[in-house]
Amino acid sequence: MKKMLWGLLLLLGPVAGHSQTTLTFPKGKIASQDWVKTYVDSVLNRPGLPPTIPVTPPVITDPDLLPCEAGPEIRSIFEISQTTARIQFHGKNVFGLNFQISKAGQLVRSGQIKPSSSVIQVQYSRLEPGIYTLTLSGSTCTGSDQKDFLIPAKETGVVIPDRVVPPVSAERGTYELFMNLTGFGYEPSAQNGLHHDWPERIDAFQYEWGYGITGIRLNIRWNEWEPTQGNFTRQGLQKVIAYCRARGLKLSVLFWPWRKEGDNFIPEGHYVTGHRGKQHEFETDKRMGSLASGLMNAKIYTAVRELSAELNTYEGAYYLSIGTASAEEFTNPVVGEGYGGAKEITGFEPVFQEGFRKFRQAKNLPYARPYIVEWENGAALDMGTDLGKDFARFISLTLTRYFENFTKAVKDGSSGKILSVYSYPDAGSPQNAWYLHANFASQAASADGMFGTDGNDRWDNSRKLLVNAVNLGMGKISMNEFDPFDLSSDGYCTGINLGQLEREFEKSYVAGVQVIHLSMSFCPAEIRGMEPHLRYLSEKYIGKPYVRPDRPVTEVSITPAYWQGKDIFAPAWTGTNYLRPVDDEFWGEARKD
């Protein structure tokens, strides 16, 4: 980052025994006369004047500058240390930024930044632990915003928790239980906009005392929402909204960016493609556009913005998430995942490889095709070389940009009212060598909530609490899920252990999970059998005000475990702490955006 260029220096010579004082302002800015007078009076402690606490100086900006088209607005401050912090901000045509850091009204640090993405890094001289205020203002246009942040005190790797709960509106400040309409959910031509498999299951939750769930999450594939360019199935979504409104259920949506083959949405060279040349596909006729394609990102932005705007017409709208994996989570896609047979690592379509070439070129390094290690029915990126590490870095950067684009669309469409949720399959387990998604510090930075689906069966439900530790360590609204296999079942309608359901759900709520999801398929008979257990949970948690448990936060570097294909977060989890991922060593040098 560029160091700040200092501008005006106002020197106050020795007066009445006081030493010389230097007053410094950012380049291109001047202080108002009233502020200077107040500051000088305070410093010199002139007789007869009450003590004055100096505040960050109001500034008069270059009168020739026009207001910024949007922002700069500070969305979040994260990865905070005593010398650096990363900022997620929103702005339109904001090509230069000034930052000021103040404490108790006193300016302590300042500088300039030229942003190259919506996530910037602020560097400053060492600051002591405490609460500070960051002010971000445009230097090429007028506009500013400020936000408080905490520089934590470190002690043996444990960080004192921020204790600031992510901002949520009153209706979102309660414990929730959602049912996921997995796979087939949205059917815009149906009477209620839902696939016929789901209404019976949803209404099975209607007990004498009310619904046992508080909402549903609808799965909407891109081709179902926008069958042809610019034409959206708004009436279909309004049918779903009417259905939920009549039952008092909240509504969330997973946007799944599948397109029908041959619908002319994805140009040649922009299909997600594996290292052996096979395209990422679903149901044989669905394809997905490259995550590194600017053209596809622009199309997805429009589709999600319109979806968010339509969903926002419902007072019970809750969140939007996006999935790129065959199991609906957000990862680097894996060809063949969920279908058996040989797996392929993706990112080998021409547009992705061209992006990787430019990434290497920006570091003055030659381009080469990354090497993939293969075994029977499996494959993984070789991250034992600098080339392999760089490809993992570019994948992480691509996932970050893709999700930031999604979040911007959600916020722009709903005027900031609908939550953006980052959904992931595992908390940095060895299978990350396939998914390459575990750099949550970067990829999930713009999210309001994090939804971890970790855990394969009844024997590893502790992974549900591990993802909660990561979610709350990141300062996000925490979400997890349970499917029939997590509750002593061998499949659909083979019976679940209802006592285990009650115990696991209560453990999740006690640990700080705010939204539990029922995923995959629970049959109506099983749902009706949940009644006494959900009644108990509703009396204590579901629908009641959410309370974030107060626990210490441990910083966890994702490297070198990321490179070595080892479990990243579990070794640092005690069961009573939260985990904050740190990616400093991951990038190796300044991130190349």
Side-chain angles (χ1 to χ4, degrees):
M1 307 302 294
K2 292 184 178 179
K3 297 293 183 183
M4 172 152 187
L5 299 176
W6 295 105
L8 175 67
L9 294 177
L10 175 62
L11 301 179
L12 303 176
V15 179
H18 288 268
S19 60
Q20 178 172 288
T21 302
T22 302
L23 190 59
T24 310
F25 302 101
K27 182 180 179 181
K29 307 282 180 145
I30 59 173
S32 67
Q33 183 177 353
D34 290 340
W35 185 88
V36 173
K37 181 178 183 298
T38 302
Y39 184 84
V40 172
D41 288 342
S42 176
V43 171
L44 299 184
N45 193 24
R46 289 181 176 170
L49 293 175
T52 303
I53 299 175
V55 297
T56 303
V59 295
I60 302 172
T61 311
D62 185 341
D64 294 331
L65 293 181
L66 297 175
C68 303
E69 292 185 49
E73 172 194 348
I74 302 172
R75 291 279 174 85
S76 63
I77 307 174
F78 57 100
E79 291 184 28
I80 302 166
S81 73
Q82 292 182 310
T83 56
T84 62
R86 294 185 70 188
I87 316 299
Q88 171 77 36
F89 83 101
H90 170 65
K92 187 173 182 181
N93 291 333
V94 180
F95 302 110
L97 293 167
N98 294 318
F99 73 85
Q100 294 179 325
I101 299 174
S102 57
K103 185 175 184 180
Q106 175 66 58
L107 178 66
V108 293
R109 301 288 186 272
S110 57
Q112 293 180 326
I113 299 171
K114 185 178 180 181
S116 57
S117 76
S118 61
V119 177
I120 57 176
Q121 182 164 330
V122 173
Q123 294 179 319
Y124 39 83
S125 300
R126 182 181 177 86
L127 290 171
E128 294 302 312
I131 297 175
Y132 294 83
T133 300
L134 172 71
T135 301
L136 208 60
S137 58
S139 61
T140 57
C141 58
T142 60
S144 65
D145 192 16
Q146 64 179 210
K147 191 178 185 70
D148 291 340
F149 66 101
L150 174 73
I151 294 181
K154 277 191 165 184
E155 186 175 347
T156 62
V158 177
V159 180
I160 297 175
D162 192 329
R163 291 188 173 83
V164 177
V165 179
V168 294
S169 57
E171 67 270 17
R172 291 186 181 133
T174 54
Y175 294 98
E176 309 288 349
L177 178 61
F178 286 1
M179 181 180 183
N180 285 0
L181 278 55
T182 307
F184 295 92
Y186 185 50
E187 195 166 297
S189 61
Q191 181 179 2
N192 49 27
L194 300 174
H195 187 273
H196 60 78
D197 282 349
W198 294 107
E200 181 185 9
R201 299 174 193 175
I202 296 170
D203 288 337
F205 281 105
Q206 187 175 16
Y207 308 126
E208 289 184 359
W209 45 269
Y211 271 86
I213 54 175
T214 60
I216 63 171
R217 191 197 73 179
L218 181 65
N219 182 319
I220 296 182
R221 305 176 191 187
W222 186 5
N223 65 285
E224 295 168 334
W225 169 242
E226 189 181 8
T228 59
Q229 188 91 31
N231 296 308
F232 304 99
T233 55
R234 302 179 191 277
Q235 290 184 342
L237 185 56
Q238 286 299 326
K239 293 178 187 177
V240 181
I241 288 173
Y243 177 90
C244 291
R245 182 179 283 122
R247 290 158 177 77
L249 298 175
K250 296 181 173 75
L251 177 59
S252 297
V253 170
L254 164 76
F255 179 78
W256 214 7
W258 292 107
R259 297 300 320 173
K260 273 195 173 182
E261 189 175 14
D263 67 3
N264 298 319
F265 266 71
I266 307 174
E268 286 300 323
H270 291 244
Y271 290 93
V272 172
T273 304
H275 69 275
R276 297 189 190 95
K278 184 176 176 59
Q279 292 179 358
H280 186 40
E281 66 178 34
F282 184 71
E283 298 171 343
T284 71
D285 68 338
K286 307 294 191 308
R287 298 290 187 273
M288 190 174 289
S290 175
L291 277 62
S293 168
L295 175 62
M296 297 310 301
N297 265 277
K299 291 183 177 183
I300 285 175
Y301 170 83
T302 299
V304 173
R305 182 193 64 201
E306 295 303 309
L307 177 58
S308 181
E310 200 68 32
L311 184 61
N312 195 45
T313 63
Y314 180 39
E315 64 279 4
Y318 198 85
Y319 77 75
L320 265 165
S321 64
I322 188 168
T324 54
S326 298
E328 303 179 4
E329 300 97 344
F330 183 70
T331 71
N332 192 55
V334 177
V335 170
E337 179 69 12
Y339 294 94
K343 308 294 188 296
E344 294 190 38
I345 304 302
T346 59
F348 287 82
E349 59 272 19
V351 69
F352 201 103
Q353 288 293 308
E354 175 60 18
F356 180 51
R357 184 190 66 78
K358 292 179 179 178
F359 180 81
R360 292 277 288 178
Q361 185 180 52
K363 301 171 70 171
N364 295 317
L365 295 171
Y367 162 80
R369 178 185 167 94
Y371 179 67
I372 304 297
V373 180
E374 298 179 330
W375 62 93
E376 185 178 3
N377 296 332
L381 172 66
D382 179 8
M383 293 183 283
T385 66
D386 288 339
L387 177 67
K389 289 182 174 66
D390 256 0
F391 193 56
R393 290 173 180 128
F394 183 66
I395 285 174
S396 183
L397 182 59
T398 298
L399 288 167
T400 300
R401 290 169 172 167
Y402 192 88
F403 192 80
E404 288 173 355
N405 178 70
F406 168 77
T407 294
K408 185 177 187 303
V410 172
K411 298 305 181 182
D412 288 351
S414 67
S415 299
K417 296 178 183 178
I418 292 177
L419 299 176
S420 167
V421 170
Y422 180 94
S423 177
Y424 59 102
D426 69 278
S429 72
Q431 70 188 51
N432 179 67
W434 286 0
Y435 296 136
L436 299 166
H437 71 293
N439 185 5
F440 304 138
S442 175
Q443 294 164 26
S446 64
D448 299 297
M450 292 179 68
F451 176 7
T453 67
D454 208 339
N456 292 320
D457 53 42
R458 70 195 74 171
W459 309 114
D460 64 354
N461 282 325
S462 62
R463 303 287 297 194
K464 313 290 185 185
L465 303 181
L466 174 60
V467 300
N468 173 68
V470 175
N471 298 346
L472 292 181
M474 284 277 292
K476 309 298 183 181
I477 296 171
S478 182
M479 306 181 181
N480 70 2
E481 62 89 33
F482 290 84
D483 62 41
F485 290 92
D486 297 319
L487 300 171
S488 299
S489 171
D490 294 321
Y492 175 56
C493 283
T494 59
I496 60 173
N497 185 321
L498 294 169
Q500 185 182 20
L501 177 147
E502 181 180 304
R503 290 191 298 272
E504 299 294 352
F505 283 19
E506 185 164 26
K507 283 192 291 186
S508 288
Y509 287 135
V510 168
V513 174
Q514 186 166 347
V515 186
I516 295 175
H517 296 74
L518 290 161
S519 297
M520 293 173 64
S521 299
F522 292 87
C523 67
E526 291 172 328
I527 293 170
R528 287 190 288 271
M530 296 179 190
E531 186 274 331
H533 306 278
L534 295 186
R535 180 176 58 200
Y536 165 78
L537 292 168
S538 294
E539 289 170 354
K540 295 189 67 175
Y541 302 104
I542 301 173
K544 302 296 188 294
Y546 172 76
V547 178
R548 181 184 189 271
D550 188 7
R551 296 181 176 182
V553 180
T554 304
E555 288 191 343
V556 180
S557 174
I558 67 168
T559 50
Y562 189 106
W563 307 133
Q564 298 170 354
K566 295 181 179 180
D567 216 324
I568 298 174
F569 298 105
W573 186 49
T574 65
T576 58
N577 62 335
Y578 300 142
L579 306 174
R580 179 178 296 153
V582 178
D583 65 5
D584 294 354
E585 298 175 9
F586 174 80
W587 297 106
E589 56 178 280
R591 203 173 100 183
K592 299 295 183 181
D593 287 5

